[in-house]
Amino acid sequence: IQPMRLLLVEKGEGRDRLVPHMAEGNRAKAESAPIVAVIASDVDFHDSMDVHFPHKPGIGAMFADDEAKRAEIARYNTALQTGYFIIGLRAAGLHAGPVGGFDAAGIDEEFFAGTSWRTQLVVNIGHPGENPWFDRLPRISADDAVRTV
């Protein structure tokens, strides 16, 4: 259904508007990244479904009357698209630093007021600096994360 939308924020006026909506600990990274992507989901994705599903004319109408359900579906599908987006950036040799600490409502008001876009994630994009990585952090064990029935 392709609900993911991107706002690419360059340094300058746009970045100056974005940074205050970042959590205090994430501001310096957002300020210094070559580009920052605000990943949003379009809760009105159904309006363009005839383009994406030409074999099923009118399919978007089944979502028209339930904005809460559209928001849930858009959020889920945007998360899937975001994974592909990050993998693509990294495959191109770029660093993609997803950031969870931000004021989504503030970003929505600042950049998406009057639209059907809703902020989901912020991703700092660029080339990593010197010694940017932590040692690999512990991972949950398979015994705790996997069940077989």
Side-chain angles (χ1 to χ4, degrees):
I1 62 173
Q2 304 179 47
M4 187 177 88
R5 305 293 183 261
L6 290 175
L7 173 68
L8 299 177
V9 185
E10 298 178 319
K11 290 184 178 182
E13 184 265 334
R15 191 76 59 90
D16 293 343
R17 292 171 48 207
L18 176 65
V19 168
H21 300 289
M22 303 302 295
E24 185 72 33
N26 294 325
R27 289 181 183 165
K29 291 178 184 178
E31 285 175 327
S32 65
I35 196 149
V36 177
V38 175
I39 298 177
S41 42
D42 184 352
V43 297
D44 286 343
F45 64 86
H46 66 295
D47 289 340
S48 62
M49 286 186 71
D50 284 346
V51 173
H52 308 297
F53 290 89
H55 57 284
K56 187 99 171 163
I59 191 169
M62 66 188 264
F63 299 101
D65 294 333
D66 192 344
E67 185 174 345
K69 186 67 170 174
R70 286 196 322 269
E72 177 185 342
I73 291 167
R75 206 172 20 258
Y76 173 77
N77 281 275
T78 296
L80 290 172
Q81 288 183 278
T82 299
Y84 289 117
F85 175 70
I86 291 171
I87 289 169
L89 289 169
R90 291 179 176 167
L94 294 170
H95 174 70
V99 178
F102 57 85
D103 173 14
I107 293 173
D108 287 350
E109 182 62 31
E110 186 73 38
F111 294 98
F112 306 139
T115 76
S116 55
W117 292 23
R118 304 293 177 266
T119 301
Q120 300 299 311
L121 188 66
V122 175
V123 181
N124 296 319
I125 302 170
H127 295 284
E130 188 175 326
N131 299 318
W133 314 116
F134 294 109
D135 289 337
R136 184 177 174 117
L137 298 172
R139 299 296 188 244
I140 190 169
S141 73
D143 290 338
D144 291 334
V146 179
R147 294 185 181 160
T148 304
V149 294

